Amino acid sequence: MNAPVNSPKLYDCRDAFAATLERLATEDDTIVAVCNDSVGSSKLGGFKTKFPDRLVNVGIAEQNMVGVGAGLANGGRLPYVCGAAPFLTGRSLEQIKADICYSNANVKLVGISSGMAYGELGPTHHSIEDFAWTRVLPNLPVIAPCDRIETAAAVEWAASYSGPCFLRLSRVGVPDLLPEGHKFVLGKANLLREGSDVTLIANGTLTHRMMKAASILAERGINARVLNLATVRPIDEEAIIAAANETGAIVTAEEHSVFGGLGSAVAEVVVDHSPVPMRRLGVPGIFAPTGSAEFLLDEFGMAPSAIADAAQELIRRKKA
């Protein structure tokens, strides 16, 4: 399937999250929302208006928030625990490990404004370590949807999934890439563009940049496959192995450190099953400076043209 490269409109995935959660809550009165003084940034204003007795705002107390979510799950509720991704994960990692994952509590963790979406607020508000922190935890699927359609599908899937999960959402506008009515399947990659010369793999806000990079490569006579790998854990090993065997080179890009994230997860599969040249694009193991998310992504070599250049260089290595 060749998904559209450009879209006339950009969408905030938080809006899709909020609208889907409100619809699900109308159908299921066990659904509750828990947040850390983030009703606005989590887009929970409509939920608060419709279900005022089903929203728990614990204030700026993320560790407590995770514990409250676990308690609600133990009591038969279906909690979506929402907060800024750097604080939901980094500040509450012990509670996520012990109260949620070890107990296999049916809690849906929703990290809002992930990556470098809070760019102007600087390194304390960047969430470029959360893939590494969460994907090592047992029982915790880790998901980063690429657009509003996949966000809505993942939120709906989470409600029917028995167990915890972590949804990593951005506030940066992205175009539609998947078709309306798309159904989220845990651990399954989406083939957005066919290709045989190199494979470009991303998720979240980087997926549409990969599509643009693939178009640039096509103008250079290079046929790039594009995979949207929304599920970082459990990862789609079959799709990665096929990409390695059929294209012989893989480029990953992520709004995350190059250590421990999507690129690392893909590399683990490649080195175990089908070693091929790889290039992992991301934040190079430093604290990202202050600046808009778009500026920072470009600064770290993830502009579409820079991704295309990296892929072209990798193909040269493959041929050598």
Side-chain angles (χ1 to χ4, degrees):
M1 162 179 98
N2 284 347
V5 175
N6 296 309
S7 174
K9 187 172 182 180
L10 302 180
Y11 297 94
D12 185 336
C13 292
R14 296 177 301 167
D15 292 325
F17 158 70
T20 306
L21 185 63
E22 289 171 30
R23 176 177 60 79
L24 292 171
T26 300
E27 301 166 358
D28 182 353
D29 61 10
T30 68
I31 290 178
V32 295
V34 186
C35 69
N36 59 336
D37 201 25
S38 60
V39 172
S41 61
S42 296
K43 299 282 188 172
L44 291 172
F47 190 98
K48 180 180 179 180
T49 299
K50 294 178 181 177
F51 313 105
D53 59 342
R54 290 159 62 184
L55 174 71
V56 181
N57 187 346
V58 303
I60 304 175
E62 288 80 9
Q63 294 169 325
N64 185 40
M65 175 178 69
V66 171
V68 168
L72 287 166
N74 289 338
R77 298 289 182 171
L78 180 55
Y80 282 74
V81 175
C82 312
F87 309 126
L88 172 63
T89 57
R91 187 171 294 162
S92 310
L93 192 59
E94 180 185 359
Q95 283 71 30
I96 293 173
K97 174 184 175 181
D99 297 347
I100 305 297
C101 296
Y102 180 69
S103 303
N104 203 31
N106 194 25
V107 176
K108 318 307 172 182
L109 301 168
V110 185
I112 301 294
S113 303
S114 60
M116 296 177 288
Y118 281 131
E120 291 83 354
L121 295 178
T124 59
H125 284 62
H126 295 158
S127 189
I128 55 175
E129 309 87 3
D130 51 0
F131 279 153
W133 289 335
T134 55
R135 79 179 184 93
V136 300
L137 295 174
N139 301 326
L140 187 67
V142 177
I143 302 158
C146 71
D147 64 8
R148 68 180 178 99
I149 294 168
E150 188 168 37
T151 298
V155 173
E156 184 160 5
W157 166 86
S160 63
Y161 176 73
S162 180
C165 64
F166 172 55
L167 301 178
R168 186 186 198 249
L169 307 182
S170 180
R171 66 194 297 148
V172 176
V174 292
D176 287 345
L177 294 172
L178 295 170
E180 292 284 357
H182 169 76
K183 298 296 183 183
F184 177 79
V185 179
L186 182 68
K188 185 68 174 177
N190 307 118
L191 177 62
L192 299 185
R193 185 174 180 132
E194 297 278 4
S196 57
D197 296 325
V198 64
T199 299
L200 310 180
I201 297 178
N203 59 24
T205 57
L206 265 296
T207 306
H208 80 97
R209 287 179 172 240
M210 286 300 214
M211 291 293 287
K212 290 180 178 180
S215 293
I216 294 170
L217 288 167
E219 294 171 358
R220 301 175 184 176
I222 296 171
N223 192 4
R225 178 179 303 186
V226 180
L227 291 179
N228 170 48
L229 214 60
T231 308
V232 178
R233 178 173 179 172
I235 204 161
D236 190 343
E237 293 190 357
E238 182 178 344
I240 295 168
I241 295 168
N245 290 338
E246 295 166 11
T247 69
I250 294 174
V251 178
T252 62
E254 58 193 309
E255 196 175 356
H256 187 277
S257 169
V258 293
F259 298 103
L262 174 66
S264 296
V266 171
E268 289 161 11
V269 176
V270 169
V271 75
D272 281 348
H273 298 282
S274 185
V276 296
M278 276 191 66
R279 179 72 187 277
R280 295 176 298 118
L281 302 176
V283 181
I286 64 173
F287 288 110
T290 298
S292 72
E294 296 292 330
F295 166 79
L296 291 171
L297 288 172
D298 291 350
E299 185 73 8
F300 290 124
M302 290 180 281
S305 59
I307 295 170
D309 291 343
Q312 195 164 7
E313 176 59 30
L314 192 66
I315 291 171
R316 292 193 192 102
R317 282 175 48 196
K318 177 179 73 168
K319 291 179 178 178

